[in-house]
Each structure stands twice: as structure tokens, then as C-alpha cells.
Amino acid sequence: MDFISCVTSRKSIRAYKEEKVAKDKILQIIETAGHAPSWANAQPWEFNVVAGATLEKIKELMEEKILNREKPNPDIPFPTFPEEHQQRINEFGKSLFTHLGLDKEGKEKRVQFTIEMHKFFNAPAVIFVTMNKELSLWSLFDLGLVVQNIALMATHENLGTCIQASTVSYPDVLRETLNIPENKNIVCGISIGYPDEKSINNFISNRVTAASLVNFFGF
Ligand SMILES: Cc1cc2nc3c(=O)[nH]c(=O)nc-3n(C[C@H](O)[C@H](O)[C@H](O)COP(=O)(O)O)c2cc1C
């Protein structure tokens, strides 16, 4: 796939085929993604890749948390947004729910969606990205770069991904199951697998135009 197609065709995949992703393929994706730049080449990222019975156990525990209405307590607190950005978020949520017909459905269906999201949309594997808690916000910036590389590499391999903050809502579940020490921040999960043909994957999110975001000087 050419580079521009890779960048523009990447989108969040929220339904996956059962087909497994080979361990070697995931390792090769992470190896290539690791060419990302980072502050003085610190490479502050670490990965826990989970599949099979371990992933099933995490899914079970996640569902329990949602059904018990446990308050999320992510290592990196979830943000609030200024009005302008919150508006984009609201538009995104509304258009995704309209696409899924969930705007007309009752609360129960929306809770079901939340559960599916916390169960990684049934992806056969999830890459949990962690970093040492002593690192600064700059390292979080670096993690963003490597995570995007993973998403692009996956697209290149005809795989789909969904970068998910929701997957780290209950870090105690991941800490216990994956033996992640207290001194690591669990930053996000990347669900990865072969995209299913389900309609949810036809959803395309909007973008504001570059012209509305850019100031040029001296041209
Ligand atoms: C840091 C981060 C956290 C995200 N968390 C979630 C999530 O919890 N659930 C989800 O369905 N999508 C999640 N997404 C995906 C975004 O909703 C998605 O990237 C955005 O709407 C743009 O759509 P696109 O990825 O299809 O281009 C997340 C993306 C990022 C970068």
C-alpha cells in the first residue's frame, strides 16, 4: 500500500474477524513502529501483547467492572476538553451512534456498546502500551508517535486497529493479570485484528480542514 493510502485509509476498527494475528507479525509491526522519533532517542515505550485465554480473562473482568458500574480510575486521568474540542467530540459521538442506530435505541443497547468497547470489540489481540511513571509528558508525546506507527503498519498489513483509552479504565485488572508493576503507567490499549465486514467499520469520522487550523507566515 502506498504511504498516502496507508495514512488516509487508516481508521478505527470496531469489529474484528476471529482470525488470529501471528505473534511474529505483531512483533514485526512493533519493531518497525519503533523507528519513531523520541526525545533524545529515549524510546520510553513498552508493550504487553495479549491474546487467547489471558485476553478472555481480562474481558471477563472488564465486563464485571462495567456491570457493577465501577468508576474508571485510569493511571493517566481522563481529560475534560475546552468547548471547541468538546463540540467535535459530541459531533463524533452523535454521528457514530446515528451510524449504529443507537441514537434511537434504549439505554440498554448503549450499555452493550460500552461493554463491547471495554472488551476490545472482540479483537483477537491487544497491545497495551506502558511507560515508567517517572517519565514526563514529553514521553507521552513520544508514545503517541510510536502508537500511530503501529496503527499505520497494521493498515499496511491489512490489519485493523483501534487505539483505546477505554481499555485502561480499570488498570488494576491489567496490573493483576499481566503483572504490570505499580511504577508503570498503563497508557492505552491498541486492539488489533483483521477487520470484519460489519457496518460499524464503514463509519468515517470527520476532520476539520487544514486551512482552518494553519497560520502561514512569510510565504
Ligand atoms: C488516545 C486515544 C484514545 C481513544 N480511545 C478510544 C476508545 O476508548 N474507544 C473507541 O472506540 N475509540 C477510541 N479512540 C479512537 C478515536 O475515537 C478515533 O481515533 C477518532 O474518532 C478518529 O477516528 P478514526 O480513528 O476512525 O480516524 C481513541 C483514540 C485515541 C488517539
Side-chain angles (χ1 to χ4, degrees), residues 14-113:
R14 297 187 174 91
Y16 295 87
K17 291 185 176 154
E18 275 183 26
E19 189 179 345
K20 293 190 169 92
V21 187
K23 187 175 159 187
D24 283 355
K25 182 160 277 200
I26 296 181
L27 191 61
Q28 176 231 322
I29 286 172
I30 294 175
E31 185 83 47
T32 309
H35 285 261
S38 59
W39 185 296
N41 207 22
Q43 303 162 75
W45 42 73
E46 289 159 4
F47 308 96
N48 294 278
V49 188
V50 189
T54 315
L55 191 58
E56 288 307 313
K57 181 74 199 155
I58 293 174
K59 279 157 72 172
E60 234 175 73
L61 296 170
M62 288 288 219
E63 182 161 10
E64 248 175 63
K65 296 270 185 195
I66 301 289
L67 292 174
N68 293 338
R69 295 168 184 265
E70 272 191 49
K71 200 168 175 274
N73 65 333
D75 288 345
I76 300 176
F78 289 163
T80 53
F81 287 87
E83 179 55 30
E84 172 195 2
H85 305 91
Q86 187 58 49
Q87 239 176 36
R88 291 180 197 157
I89 292 171
N90 294 347
E91 269 167 36
F92 156 72
K94 205 172 155 205
S95 52
L96 179 62
F97 273 26
T98 304
H99 180 87
L100 295 175
L102 288 177
D103 53 336
K104 296 188 199 82
E105 294 282 354
K107 202 174 157 212
E108 209 175 289
K109 281 266 166 71
R110 288 196 280 270
V111 172
Q112 196 50 45
F113 178 82

Side-chain angles (χ1 to χ4, degrees), residues 10-14 92 96 113 117 121 147 161-167 188 203-207:
R10 186 224 50 86
K11 60 184 175 181
S12 293
I13 293 299
R14 297 187 174 91
F92 156 72
L96 179 62
F113 178 82
M117 180 166 75
F121 301 112
V147 166
T161 55
C162 191
I163 300 161
Q164 288 183 250
S166 48
T167 61
C188 72
F203 177 75
I204 305 285
S205 53
N206 285 332
R207 290 296 188 274

Side-chain angles (χ1 to χ4, degrees), residues 130-203:
T130 62
M131 69 180 215
N132 191 309
K133 278 187 180 167
E134 285 171 51
L135 291 162
S136 78
L137 264 185
W138 285 104
S139 297
L140 202 54
F141 182 102
D142 298 343
L143 258 62
L145 300 175
V146 82
V147 166
Q148 171 69 347
N149 268 1
I150 290 174
L152 293 179
M153 271 304 295
T155 308
H156 183 255
E157 295 289 334
N158 296 318
L159 284 158
T161 55
C162 191
I163 300 161
Q164 288 183 250
S166 48
T167 61
V168 298
S169 301
Y170 304 106
D172 46 327
V173 165
L174 304 172
R175 254 193 193 93
E176 279 160 30
T177 320
L178 308 176
N179 258 330
I180 299 173
E182 273 303 328
N183 71 337
K184 310 275 184 199
N185 271 325
I186 309 176
V187 177
C188 72
I190 310 168
S191 299
I192 184 164
Y194 293 95
D196 197 289
E197 281 91 34
K198 284 192 185 142
S199 132
I200 190 166
N201 286 337
N202 299 331
F203 177 75

